[in-house]
Amino acid sequence: MIVEERKHRALYRIPYHLQYFAEGADKTEEATGKKLSDARNEGQVARSKELITASGLATFFIVIKVFVEYIGDSFINNIFKIFNNIDKLSNEEFNIAVISNLLKDTIFTIIIICIPIFVTTVVVSFVIVLFQVKWKISGKTLKPKFSNMNPINGFKKLLSKDKIVELLIELIKIVVISYLAYDTLKNEWKLLFVFYDMKLEQAVLLIGNLVLDFGLRISIIFLIIGFADLIYQKLKFKKDMRMSKQEVKDEYKNSEGDPQVKNKIRARMREASQRRMMQALPTADVVITNPTHLAAAIKYDKAAGDAPILIAKGADYLAQKIKDVAKENHIEIVENKPLARMLYYNVELGAEIPPELYQMTAEVLAYVYGLKNK
């Protein structure tokens, strides 16, 4: 009965794999400086396109708001100039060449008016980009990637979390623009019916102020959305740059070298150093011991220097080996625990004995020289 019930349950069981729920779960380590630098060189940075667009839009409307009277007067004067010139010309003089010159003057006037606006907008947008990602030119983002041409990858991107966030931002923009347009028209609706009673300058100024107020209100909302998107992009970039412990280990191996290889190199260097030390050991004057754990061999050559030199030292097995070589070469072995410890821990191989050990070392050498009748 129990077996049949289990089989019945198995028919309705939905198979699943835990790895689907653990995507990125192993990436628990913060990104290293090298990975962030490599990502920066590849053009991967935390950047909000919404903030760049919003700042450019706000700058555009602010500049126009400040110079709206000058811009309006310039356009109106240019229109009057065109019609006055047309009125002065006779039918014979009114030809293609005349029309062409009038259009050139008009276009030149428009360019002169618009250049400061667009230059200011571009400069502010460029400063906002620098504020987000600092200054570093990378041409790698311009290289074509064949993976972007894969329709399957493109379909996956359409369903990605980034695209959903972008869609939500665009929906918020549509709602904001619709509400602000309704609110602006609701408050200024009555003025639209008196345009026929206004002079041209007044009508242009009124429409300009309506458009500018509407644009500035939209720009402020877009700036708020842009800064929120920048925070989201930075948090997302930080999360995307996380590394697994294995990736950190692999990066360390690639940058610093394999620890096992480095350990082998160190071991070979120690072996070579020990061989040189053991070769120089037979020339020592005395070996000072702990007596069992440490051994240090010193040599004093008055012609070579003012102080004795430590030519060999070792602990445990190496200490015993030093004593064995000393016995084979009839070198005196003297037990002096404090001096042996200080020589082993404080003096490097090939270095002279420090002045604070002169007294103790001199006593040992005097004792050894006395035994050898030196």
Side-chain angles (χ1 to χ4, degrees):
M1 184 69 179
I2 295 175
V3 175
E4 292 180 357
E5 185 177 354
R6 288 179 178 175
K7 290 181 179 180
H8 181 72
R9 290 178 180 177
L11 292 174
Y12 300 97
R13 186 177 299 160
I14 299 175
Y16 62 90
H17 300 281
L18 291 176
Q19 61 265 30
Y20 295 150
F21 300 92
E23 183 178 356
D26 59 333
K27 296 191 175 184
T28 57
E29 307 300 313
E30 295 295 331
T32 60
K34 183 178 182 303
K35 182 169 183 178
L36 293 175
S37 177
D38 291 344
R40 184 70 183 85
N41 293 333
E42 293 289 336
Q44 299 178 19
V45 289
R47 181 180 61 178
S48 172
K49 296 178 181 178
E50 303 298 330
L51 182 59
I52 298 171
T53 303
S55 61
L57 189 66
T59 305
F60 176 78
F61 283 112
I62 289 172
V63 173
I64 293 181
K65 181 73 174 178
V66 173
F67 297 101
V68 63
E69 188 174 350
Y70 165 74
I71 295 172
D73 290 341
S74 298
F75 276 113
I76 291 172
N77 292 334
N78 191 64
I79 291 172
F80 283 149
K81 180 181 177 182
I82 293 172
F83 281 100
N84 287 334
N85 289 331
I86 292 175
D87 187 52
K88 291 178 181 178
L89 296 173
S90 63
N91 292 333
E92 289 111 10
E93 293 175 331
F94 193 73
N95 51 40
I96 298 298
V98 173
I99 295 175
S100 176
N101 289 330
L102 288 174
L103 286 176
K104 286 179 181 178
D105 292 339
T106 303
I107 293 172
F108 181 75
T109 303
I110 293 173
I111 291 174
I112 293 298
I113 295 171
C114 292
I115 280 179
I117 300 172
F118 287 108
V119 168
T120 307
T121 303
V122 170
V123 169
V124 171
S125 300
F126 182 71
V127 170
I128 293 296
V129 173
L130 291 182
F131 164 74
Q132 294 185 77
V133 300
K134 305 299 185 290
W135 174 259
K136 187 173 180 113
I137 299 175
S138 176
K140 293 186 178 181
T141 54
L142 302 176
K143 293 181 180 180
K145 294 183 179 180
F146 294 102
S147 59
N148 295 335
M149 303 178 185
N150 190 334
I152 297 176
N153 292 338
F155 183 73
K156 288 180 180 179
K157 288 181 179 179
L158 288 176
L159 301 177
S160 65
K161 184 172 67 174
D162 294 341
K163 292 299 179 182
I164 294 174
V165 172
E166 290 179 7
L167 178 61
L168 289 175
I169 291 175
E170 296 303 323
L171 291 175
I172 292 173
K173 286 182 178 180
I174 293 172
V175 172
V176 168
I177 292 173
S178 301
Y179 172 76
L180 291 178
Y182 166 76
D183 187 61
T184 301
L185 291 176
K186 183 184 70 174
N187 295 330
E188 306 293 342
W189 187 256
K190 295 179 182 180
L191 293 176
L192 299 178
F193 293 100
V194 296
F195 273 161
Y196 292 105
D197 298 329
M198 293 182 180
K199 294 182 179 180
L200 179 61
E201 295 90 340
Q202 293 177 332
V204 171
L205 189 62
L206 177 61
I207 293 175
N209 285 328
L210 286 175
V211 172
L212 290 177
D213 290 340
F214 178 65
L216 288 173
R217 293 172 69 183
I218 290 177
S219 300
I220 292 172
I221 301 298
F222 280 16
L223 281 172
I224 296 172
I225 295 174
F227 278 109
D229 182 58
L230 177 62
I231 294 173
Y232 167 77
Q233 294 295 338
K234 286 187 176 296
L235 293 175
K236 177 182 175 297
F237 180 76
K238 185 177 180 181
K239 183 180 179 182
D240 292 342
M241 288 292 105
R242 283 181 182 174
M243 306 169 66
S244 64
K245 293 182 178 179
Q246 185 60 42
E247 287 176 336
V248 174
K249 291 180 181 177
D250 293 341
E251 183 182 290
Y252 177 79
K253 287 181 181 179
N254 294 332
S255 60
E256 300 294 334
D258 193 332
Q260 294 181 352
V261 175
K262 293 178 73 175
N263 289 335
K264 290 181 179 179
I265 294 173
R266 290 196 191 100
R268 291 179 180 177
M269 291 177 65
R270 283 196 300 269
E271 291 174 0
S273 177
Q274 289 176 8
R275 282 197 299 269
R276 290 194 298 270
M277 183 180 71
M278 300 307 290
Q279 290 172 358
L281 183 57
T283 64
D285 291 323
V286 62
V287 173
I288 304 167
T289 64
N290 195 18
T292 55
H293 298 296
L294 301 175
I298 59 176
K299 176 184 179 180
Y300 179 51
D301 185 356
K302 189 175 182 180
D306 296 332
I309 297 173
L310 182 71
I311 62 172
K313 66 176 181 177
D316 298 327
Y317 169 77
L318 188 56
Q320 185 59 47
K321 193 173 181 181
I322 290 172
K323 288 188 285 185
D324 292 341
V325 174
K327 291 175 182 177
E328 293 174 1
N329 291 274
H330 307 290
I331 299 171
E332 294 294 334
I333 300 174
V334 178
E335 179 183 336
N336 189 322
K337 295 180 181 179
L339 183 57
R341 282 197 297 270
M342 284 187 281
L343 288 172
Y344 180 80
Y345 291 110
N346 299 298
V347 184
E348 296 294 330
L349 282 175
E352 291 186 350
I353 305 300
E356 54 267 23
L357 298 181
Y358 281 176
Q359 181 66 31
M360 298 176 69
T361 306
E363 292 175 357
V364 172
L365 287 174
Y367 170 71
V368 171
Y369 292 160
L371 293 178
K372 295 184 177 180
N373 296 320
K374 286 188 179 180

